[in-house]
Amino acid sequence: MTSVLLSLFHLGALHPVEKGLTLLLAFGPFVVLAVVVAVRRRQDAAAEAPAASEAEAAGLPAQPQQPTEQPQPPTD
């Protein structure tokens, strides 16, 4: 099992710091993207929660926000 992991991370004759920087450069953007997506989903859920609770307090069914339609260019 160890040899499989070693072969996956074999990047040639690199200094350990260079290997770490290479892996950070390769996988870092995906980690940042995952964090941004998680934060945005939490913010969206938090923004929708008060609207749903206000509708429940007023006795109205909660309605999801409808996407706005894009104006269509005129066709000839």
Side-chain angles (χ1 to χ4, degrees), residues 52-62:
S53 63
E54 289 173 5
E56 288 176 5
L60 300 173

Side-chain angles (χ1 to χ4, degrees), residues 21-67:
L21 289 174
T22 302
L23 292 173
L24 180 66
L25 184 62
F27 298 109
F30 296 106
V31 173
V32 171
L33 178 63
V35 169
V36 169
V37 167
V39 168
R40 289 298 300 161
R41 284 185 180 173
R42 284 186 185 177
Q43 288 175 349
D44 291 344
E48 290 176 3
S53 63
E54 289 173 5
E56 288 176 5
L60 300 173
Q63 297 176 355
Q65 294 180 351
Q66 299 295 327

Side-chain angles (χ1 to χ4, degrees), residues 68-74:
T68 58
E69 290 188 24
Q70 298 288 334
Q72 299 295 325

